[in-house]
Amino acid sequence: MISVSRFLSPQFYAIQRSSVKMSASATQTAGEVSMAIKPPSHPTYDLKAVIKLALAEDAGHTGDVTCMATIPFDLEVEAYFLAKEDGIVAGIALADMIFEQVDPSLKIEWMRKDGDYVHKGLKFGKVSGNAHKIVVAERVVLNFMQRMSGIATLTKLMADAASPARILETRKTAPGLRLVDKWAVLIGGGRNHRMGLFDMVMIKDNHISAAGGIVNAIKSVDEYLKQKNLEMDVEVETRTLEEVKEVLEYVSGSESRLTRIMLDNMVVPLENGDVDVTMLKDAVELIDGKFETEASGNVTLETVHKIGQSGVTFISSGALTHSVKALDISLKIDTELALEVGRRTKRA
């Protein structure tokens, strides 16, 4: 798990607070902010079905027995979203969808939008309406928002540090949450890699081994795409400079569909904690702008800036989604008591 708190510098706070003041000068309703950053497209993913499953998982066959036992059914309340850590908020549009499924009569107001900075102790949203319905939706909303905000926060830090290279996630997402995780990366300022196995050809080590070599694998892809009349990006993974040279030699004498070359584990970790990017730079120089390049392996908050200066087009990091720390967010009816407890525990 990656801790991001020590990378959130005072300068980062100042810049984000300034941008937030400009973008949130007035309270925004759910409809005004709901799709500020749209989710990536997927041909079969049903986001509403995922929400329904999450709510059913929580409610079981009886519903919220504690709520039914303690809260008058007709009680109307206001509850506030409270940030308990500094970071980038994400999942606001998804929260709107969840509340809509639980009770369309609930009124949601946001003082921030997806991608905005929030600081510890900030009230950044309000939901008003039936107390039962708000409490039933609470945990599902927070589970999505906390995970998405954690991903967006780490992505923002990695994307800023990686510049001028662009940061990508991978397919190392939580099962069933592929679109949600990749949406959070977009909110954090990153770019999406392929959504799945269907939207890009990505020739990796096992494909190369099974095909009998890297050139055979690329040839087979070229023939398949031509035969099926398919148009899509093609990426090949290279692990050595010799493989890079093989690829370049093949494509120089053919009409290949290749668009990107992955430079895998060409960032070499050193004993002092630094990394050696000499091999990576050599590979980039060999490719000489003929194709997009993607660095992969040994990518961390500490190393991503140095990798980004190597000349690569993209840097991919599985850690954006597989090792993320959720951002601490709560939804409270009694916010004054929540803030008092938060100050006592240094979480507000």
Side-chain angles (χ1 to χ4, degrees), residues 10-143:
Q11 290 81 6
F12 175 81
Y13 295 152
I15 292 169
Q16 293 298 327
R17 283 195 179 105
S18 175
S19 67
V20 163
K21 287 175 183 175
M22 293 176 64
S23 63
S25 57
T27 299
Q28 297 160 302
T29 64
E32 290 173 321
V33 302
S34 60
M35 285 298 168
I37 300 174
K38 294 182 179 180
S41 61
H42 190 291
T44 61
Y45 197 95
D46 187 342
L47 192 52
K48 289 184 177 179
V50 171
I51 293 170
K52 185 177 180 180
L53 180 63
L55 290 167
E57 174 184 66
D58 218 18
H61 64 293
T62 59
D64 187 344
V65 292
T66 311
C67 197
M68 290 186 284
T70 60
I71 301 176
F73 186 75
D74 59 351
L75 181 66
E76 300 277 314
V77 298
E78 293 181 348
Y80 288 84
F81 285 92
L82 184 66
K84 300 168 84 172
E85 289 183 278
D86 300 328
I88 302 298
V89 68
I92 284 175
L94 185 56
D96 289 340
M97 296 174 67
I98 297 168
F99 284 125
E100 174 71 19
Q101 280 206 30
V102 171
D103 182 358
S105 71
L106 294 174
K107 182 181 179 183
I108 305 102
E109 298 176 32
W110 299 104
M111 285 69 85
R112 296 293 183 270
K113 65 180 184 300
D114 280 328
D116 277 346
Y117 171 78
V118 294
H119 62 82
K120 185 167 65 174
L122 177 71
K123 295 179 188 177
F124 64 90
K126 180 177 78 170
V127 55
S128 310
N130 183 269
H132 269 245
K133 300 302 175 66
I134 292 172
V135 174
V136 164
E138 173 195 357
R139 179 42 52 196
V140 173
V141 167
L142 290 176
N143 282 350

Side-chain angles (χ1 to χ4, degrees), residues 154-168 189-190 299-301 303-317:
L154 180 56
T155 300
K156 171 65 175 171
L157 293 169
M158 294 276 265
D160 287 351
S163 183
R166 286 158 281 178
I167 199 77
L168 307 169
V299 178
T300 67
L301 275 173
T303 65
V304 71
H305 177 71
K306 192 169 186 178
I307 298 169
Q309 303 304 304
S310 67
V312 293
T313 317
F314 300 105
I315 303 171
S316 56
S317 170

Side-chain angles (χ1 to χ4, degrees), residues 140-261:
V140 173
V141 167
L142 290 176
N143 282 350
F144 278 116
M145 286 190 71
Q146 288 179 312
R147 177 175 177 83
M148 290 182 72
S149 297
I151 292 171
T153 299
L154 180 56
T155 300
K156 171 65 175 171
L157 293 169
M158 294 276 265
D160 287 351
S163 183
R166 286 158 281 178
I167 199 77
L168 307 169
E169 85 294 81
T170 68
R171 284 168 49 240
K172 296 175 183 177
T173 53
L177 296 181
R178 173 70 53 82
L179 186 140
V180 173
D181 283 0
K182 285 179 172 282
W183 190 3
V185 168
L186 293 180
I187 292 168
R191 298 276 290 269
N192 286 153
H193 211 305
R194 60 176 178 161
M195 181 60 65
L197 300 173
F198 59 90
D199 57 333
M200 179 184 189
V201 175
M202 189 166 178
I203 308 167
K204 293 179 66 66
D205 51 0
N206 285 334
H207 303 112
I208 293 167
S209 297
I214 196 163
V215 170
N216 284 345
I218 301 173
K219 281 181 180 178
S220 296
V221 166
D222 287 337
E223 291 168 4
Y224 179 83
L225 293 179
K226 185 177 181 180
Q227 178 187 357
K228 299 293 183 180
N229 196 27
L230 293 173
E231 290 291 336
M232 61 177 61
D233 289 338
V234 177
E235 179 172 10
V236 65
E237 176 185 299
T238 60
R239 296 156 289 181
T240 65
L241 294 178
E242 288 68 31
E243 283 189 329
V244 173
K245 291 173 184 176
E246 279 188 72
V247 170
L248 293 174
E249 183 178 353
Y250 164 69
V251 297
S252 67
S254 68
E255 294 184 5
S256 178
R257 303 286 190 89
L258 186 69
T259 54
R260 186 185 305 174
I261 299 176

